[in-house]
Amino acid sequence: MDTSRFTMFTLALCLSGVAVCFVRPSLSAAAPPQPCAAPLQWEGRTVQYDHNTGRNTRAVVSYDGQNQRLRVLEEKRKHTPCKRYFEYIYLFNSGVLFQIEQVTKTCAKLNLTEEWDPYDIPMNSTYEDQYFIGGPGDMIEVQEWSDRKPARKHETWVGVYTLKDCYPVQETYAKNSSVTTSTRFFDLALGISDPGVFVPPSTCLSAIPEFGLQFSLLSSPRTKLKQTWLLIASHVAGERKQWACLD
């Protein structure tokens, strides 16, 4: 029986009630996409772009969502006069942030007042789009999510995550009209190769909490931990730069 006659025969059976026929639902009737579960532990590199200053901040990041820890090591890309580079160790279970100058190992201790907010897609996020990054033969499929809500004109967070394993690809965060940052993630690897990166150096044992810095940087509400370190880094680096130039 050829294809056309088979199709006519099947249709006749369906209409007569002899056979039970199932119709494939249309794409519009499919269940809406749900946020994926991002990895709890990974290491990689980031580049964070400040839309206000036009500056890029590169760093090596170790992320431990299971124990609510984050380590950020600024990368030295070029020689900048009076520029110092810092390491940041966030221990949210202890409510402490250590800032270590990479050369002298001078350590400052700050109290963390923000709650842990992981690198992931919140369950109440709004699905925006699904697309491929790259081109034929060399591309990866991603989904884009945001915190956009019907009652608000603009979103303050947009996250792009891979569809297969839910790795972060890019996040854009707007605190207000003057603070907008975009972060790109790359060279990610699952797990923590060296848990010792979360252990502060001995110079931090005698570090005294800098409450003034804590108040000016951490007292204002923020929705994303993932933006906190840049705000602190840019502020502290600027202060340290002025001090270094005055020495």
Side-chain angles (χ1 to χ4, degrees):
M1 184 181 295
D2 59 32
T3 304
S4 60
R5 291 182 63 187
F6 177 77
T7 302
M8 294 289 290
F9 177 73
T10 304
L11 179 59
L13 290 177
C14 292
L15 295 176
S16 64
V18 176
V20 179
C21 302
F22 296 90
V23 179
R24 183 180 180 181
S26 62
L27 293 177
S28 60
Q34 297 297 317
C36 56
L40 291 177
Q41 292 182 327
W42 52 262
E43 296 175 323
R45 299 169 60 202
T46 63
V47 175
Q48 196 156 41
Y49 176 72
D50 188 320
H51 294 253
N52 184 40
T53 64
R55 294 179 179 175
N56 285 306
T57 301
R58 296 179 176 269
V60 175
V61 177
S62 297
Y63 169 80
D64 182 3
Q66 291 182 350
N67 299 294
Q68 299 187 2
R69 303 183 296 184
L70 182 71
R71 186 252 196 170
V72 178
L73 181 68
E74 290 184 327
E75 285 191 300
K76 301 177 182 179
R77 304 294 295 185
K78 61 181 180 179
H79 176 70
T80 303
C82 302
K83 169 69 175 178
R84 295 186 182 183
Y85 293 87
F86 293 87
E87 175 184 2
Y88 301 91
I89 301 175
Y90 295 80
L91 305 177
F92 274 80
N93 283 336
S94 303
V96 177
L97 160 64
F98 293 97
Q99 169 212 297
I100 304 104
E101 203 278 327
Q102 293 187 27
V103 176
T104 65
K105 300 301 179 181
T106 301
C107 182
K109 182 178 181 181
L110 295 86
N111 289 334
L112 284 173
T113 59
E114 297 291 313
E115 295 183 357
W116 171 257
D117 187 6
Y119 280 105
D120 66 358
I121 306 172
M123 292 305 297
N124 62 347
S125 299
T126 299
Y127 172 77
E128 297 290 353
D129 203 354
Q130 182 171 318
Y131 47 85
F132 290 93
I133 295 177
D138 188 14
M139 56 187 180
I140 186 169
E141 194 168 10
V142 300
Q143 284 187 342
E144 184 176 301
W145 296 80
S146 78
D147 64 351
R148 178 174 54 86
K149 296 296 182 287
R152 190 171 59 217
K153 291 184 178 180
H154 305 289
E155 61 271 5
T156 61
W157 168 80
V158 176
V160 179
Y161 282 72
T162 61
L163 182 63
K164 181 178 180 293
D165 294 316
C166 207
Y167 288 114
V169 176
Q170 179 167 325
E171 291 202 344
T172 299
Y173 170 78
K175 180 174 182 292
N176 51 49
S177 59
S178 62
V179 179
T180 301
T181 59
S182 295
T183 305
R184 291 182 289 114
F185 303 82
F186 51 96
D187 293 343
L188 300 189
L190 287 176
I192 304 296
S193 60
D194 179 14
V197 297
F198 299 107
V199 179
S202 58
T203 53
C204 292
L205 295 177
S206 59
I208 300 175
E210 299 186 15
F211 293 103
L213 188 59
Q214 168 207 345
F215 177 81
S216 64
L217 293 174
L218 300 177
S219 60
S220 58
R222 295 192 180 92
T223 58
K224 291 290 175 186
L225 150 72
K226 46 192 75 90
Q227 305 305 326
T228 304
W229 76 264
L230 174 69
L231 297 176
I232 296 176
S234 59
H235 178 90
V236 173
E239 293 294 327
R240 299 293 186 186
K241 179 178 178 180
Q242 292 179 8
W243 299 337
C245 290
L246 291 176
D247 288 344

